[in-house]
Amino acid sequence: MFAAKKITAFQLYCIFIISIAITNHVLLIPVLLQFGKRDAWIGAAAALVPILIYASLVYVLVKRTQQQHFLIWMREKFNNRLLTTPLRVAICLIAYIHASVSLRDVMVWTKTTYLPNTPMFMISSAFMLFCFFAARVGLRAIAISTGILLPLVVILGYFVMGANFQYKDYSLLTPLFTHGYRPALTSMYLTCGASFEMLVLIFLQHHASTRISLRALLIISVCILGLTIGPLTGAIAIFGPFEAADLRYPAFEQWRMVTIGKYISHLDFLSIFQWISGACIRTSALMFLMIDIWEVGRKRTRTILLLAIAVSLVIDSMVPISDNTMISWIQELYYPSMFIAGMAVMMYMLVVTFLPGKRKEEPG
């Protein structure tokens, strides 16, 4: 197996925070507003309980496997290589779908906001070039990049939140449940579907040199949910629940509202740094996972496979699909499917960890 340099558990947490937070900003919030309108924020807040339970189950898996490579641990426990293959295929497929959706959405946003005359092929190729080299160098390079980018992304997030207080009317967050409880419940399970990506941590836990703790996982869950509710309530408070639901990128529109005094405006270019930073870290980490999960040892083989993944993602992003079709697919299929997949894989892994292992035959 490829002997990558280990990172700390804290660095691993940071990768997950920036990875999930960027998709919640770009992909999830428009979906929540579309289904939940004014009740979207209370539904997202209600997701805290199942997400904390899910984080606790993730910790159970970490403890049961003693923070080893899950698939190697599983193979040695049951003394059967074939049992791990379906799980490898499932995780690899889920990771590829996440990377593909993230790439396409960021490319569409880039094309429609600030590079309208640049060919989509050039945008996606430049983006994937960085992701390819980051994944090729390894998880430690991704973690170091995250350590540099995440503080700046967080600072900019607080900046846009504070700068727009002058435009916000939080009375628009109420009244709740005017259309029953269904919009809030739908928002809750969609938020859970987005946050259940935390399961990927199990397949990267062996790269952490320090102990993964339950307290840290619970804090991460709260942070990720806070990074969702913050811009979600901000969009409703600025634009109103119905106008916000009609916006393609509500978080980006909040950047367009930012002004400092009378003479400083048009600071939405800073959002480009946020978007691209999070998307690059997320895509690089997913590409690394797709190779790492197969225990590819030779560096040349890893490079070829990563190059093949990068090329296939670029080709996938070039498939002519309208933005309306993409939005419908994300709303009606992507998040519900990820919710079901996250629950199914978690239940399968829990059952596997508690089943009695196959006894190894003693020599002689």
Side-chain angles (χ1 to χ4, degrees):
M1 196 178 86
F2 178 66
K5 294 181 179 179
K6 289 184 176 292
I7 61 176
T8 64
F10 178 75
Q11 289 176 308
L12 191 58
Y13 303 150
C14 290
I15 292 174
F16 274 87
I17 289 173
I18 195 172
S19 174
I20 299 177
I22 193 63
T23 54
N24 286 8
H25 274 66
V26 180
L27 294 175
L28 180 62
I29 289 178
V31 176
L32 293 179
L33 288 168
Q34 186 67 34
F35 282 103
K37 301 296 192 294
R38 197 190 311 271
D39 295 336
W41 73 271
I42 193 67
L48 178 63
V49 175
I51 289 173
L52 290 178
I53 295 173
Y54 196 82
S56 301
L57 294 177
V58 170
Y59 181 70
V60 170
L61 291 175
V62 172
K63 289 291 289 183
R64 294 287 297 178
T65 57
Q66 299 177 354
Q67 210 167 312
Q68 302 176 46
H69 192 301
F70 183 85
L71 294 167
I72 294 179
W73 175 89
M74 181 178 167
R75 185 175 67 218
E76 292 177 349
K77 178 179 180 179
F78 296 102
N79 197 23
N80 191 332
R81 290 178 175 268
L82 295 178
L83 289 176
T84 61
T85 302
L87 190 58
R88 291 182 201 268
V89 173
I91 296 301
C92 193
L93 181 62
I94 291 171
Y96 185 87
I97 293 173
H98 281 318
S100 178
V101 171
S102 300
L103 174 63
R104 177 176 284 273
D105 199 70
V106 171
M107 293 306 102
V108 170
W109 170 73
T110 301
K111 179 77 172 176
T112 55
T113 52
Y114 63 94
L115 289 178
N117 296 321
T118 305
M120 187 73 79
F121 175 75
M122 296 301 297
I123 298 172
S124 58
S125 297
F127 180 85
M128 287 307 304
L129 188 64
F130 174 87
C131 296
F132 164 74
F133 280 109
R136 180 178 178 273
V137 175
L139 195 62
R140 190 175 185 183
I142 298 172
I144 293 171
S145 300
T146 302
I148 298 170
L149 297 174
L150 183 58
L152 299 174
V153 169
V154 171
I155 290 171
L156 289 175
Y158 279 110
F159 168 72
V160 68
M161 179 184 69
N164 282 333
F165 268 130
Q166 57 185 319
Y167 307 117
K168 294 180 181 178
D169 179 8
Y170 283 101
S171 66
L172 294 173
L173 298 178
T174 55
L176 298 171
F177 311 124
T178 55
H179 294 83
Y181 296 103
R182 185 172 181 178
L185 292 174
T186 302
S187 299
M188 182 178 72
Y189 98 81
L190 288 171
T191 304
C192 290
S195 301
F196 282 3
E197 293 182 37
M198 198 184 306
L199 181 66
V200 174
L201 186 142
I202 299 298
F203 298 97
L204 295 176
Q205 63 178 352
H206 55 284
H207 290 288
S209 59
T210 53
R211 186 174 65 88
I212 296 173
S213 67
L214 176 60
R215 180 188 299 179
L217 292 178
L218 297 179
I219 292 173
I220 290 173
S221 302
V222 174
C223 289
I224 291 171
L225 197 60
L227 290 170
T228 304
I229 296 174
L232 178 58
T233 55
I236 296 173
I238 294 176
F239 306 109
F242 300 102
E243 185 177 347
D246 292 334
L247 297 174
R248 179 64 177 89
Y249 299 105
F252 177 68
E253 298 300 330
Q254 292 180 57
W255 269 104
R256 288 185 168 179
M257 300 290 293
V258 175
T259 58
I260 301 176
K262 295 182 179 180
Y263 305 107
I264 301 177
S265 60
H266 298 292
L267 297 175
D268 48 313
F269 70 91
L270 293 173
S271 67
I272 299 172
F273 174 80
Q274 282 187 309
W275 249 268
I276 298 301
S277 296
C280 284
I281 295 299
R282 175 179 175 79
T283 307
S284 301
L286 289 170
M287 291 175 64
F288 176 85
L289 173 66
M290 281 185 263
I291 300 301
D292 187 69
I293 204 169
W294 291 100
E295 303 173 53
V296 180
R298 295 181 61 187
K299 190 167 184 178
R300 183 178 179 181
T301 305
R302 293 173 68 91
T303 301
I304 294 172
L305 291 175
L306 282 171
L307 186 60
I309 292 172
V311 171
S312 67
L313 286 171
V314 171
I315 294 173
D316 184 57
S317 70
M318 300 301 298
V319 176
I321 299 175
S322 68
D323 193 41
N324 288 334
T325 302
M326 186 67 184
I327 294 170
S328 299
W329 186 82
I330 291 173
Q331 291 176 350
E332 299 171 10
L333 187 61
Y334 175 66
Y335 276 118
S337 299
M338 290 303 106
F339 176 83
I340 295 170
M343 289 298 297
V345 174
M346 169 59 80
M347 293 300 104
Y348 174 77
M349 293 169 67
L350 283 172
V351 170
V352 165
T353 54
F354 282 96
L355 283 176
K358 186 176 180 180
R359 292 185 178 180
K360 295 183 179 180
E361 296 182 3
E362 297 183 1

